[in-house]
Amino acid sequence: MSEDKIFYSIAEVSDKTELPKYVIRFWEKEFSEINPDRRQGRRYYRQNDIETILRIKDLLYKKGFTIKGAKKILHEKKSDGAKVFADFQMDEVTQTLEPVQQKSSRILKRFSFDAPLSESEDKKVDFSEAIQKLSEIEKILSE
């Protein structure tokens, strides 16, 4: 398939992305970023559509995002060259975005936390245990 083409059929996109046609059609409905031209009942994809499909494939199949998470990634705008997401954070070791819930659930399984004191209780709190637990969590995150 030549790279200087302007439009690609769904069969060509399927071959190029190694995805079944039905997946591509489904993703068109889910992701507004995929917007093929339609003429005479056929879909014609541009190179930027193919790149978007490949990015979605990477997010869903390799990085383990849900469709909702992948939508969020694609919709977020860059701010100061870095992306900031409420539900995702950058793993400093692998330099990939990971769902925050995934990391925090792994950490919470290793530690048990007591219920916080109510605001009405007038007691001095010993923070040494909390500091120790936070240090252990920091150690895990840096692994």
Side-chain angles (χ1 to χ4, degrees), residues 75-86:
H75 286 95
E76 289 293 329
K77 294 183 179 179
K78 293 181 181 180
S79 62
D80 298 333
K83 291 187 178 182
V84 180
F85 305 101

Side-chain angles (χ1 to χ4, degrees), residues 15-106:
D15 290 341
K16 195 169 189 170
T17 61
E18 298 177 346
L19 289 167
K21 295 175 198 171
Y22 69 89
V23 170
I24 297 167
R25 286 191 292 267
F26 174 74
W27 286 357
E28 279 178 40
K29 293 176 188 171
E30 292 294 318
F31 297 94
S32 61
E33 293 82 4
I34 304 171
N35 193 17
D37 292 341
R38 294 176 188 263
R39 285 185 248 136
Q40 299 171 346
R42 294 179 158 248
R43 293 169 168 87
Y44 294 98
Y45 299 85
R46 295 179 181 268
Q47 185 61 38
N48 64 333
D49 292 319
I50 295 171
E51 290 167 6
T52 301
I53 291 168
L54 289 171
R55 180 138 192 245
I56 293 168
K57 179 182 176 183
D58 181 63
L59 290 169
L60 297 177
Y61 294 175
K62 291 183 182 174
K63 297 198 168 121
F65 286 94
T66 62
I67 288 178
K68 184 178 179 181
K71 283 181 184 179
K72 195 172 223 179
I73 295 287
L74 293 174
H75 286 95
E76 289 293 329
K77 294 183 179 179
K78 293 181 181 180
S79 62
D80 298 333
K83 291 187 178 182
V84 180
F85 305 101
D87 298 331
F88 306 97
Q89 67 184 27
M90 183 66 76
D91 182 27
E92 294 181 14
V93 176
T94 62
Q95 292 298 308
T96 59
L97 285 174
E98 286 188 10
V100 171
Q101 180 182 1
Q102 183 183 59
K103 248 187 182 179
S104 62
S105 64
R106 184 182 75 201

Side-chain angles (χ1 to χ4, degrees), residues 121-133:
E121 291 178 312
D122 188 24
K123 295 183 179 179
K124 289 188 176 181
V125 179
D126 182 16
F127 288 104
S128 61
E129 183 179 341
I131 292 170
Q132 181 183 6
K133 286 182 181 180

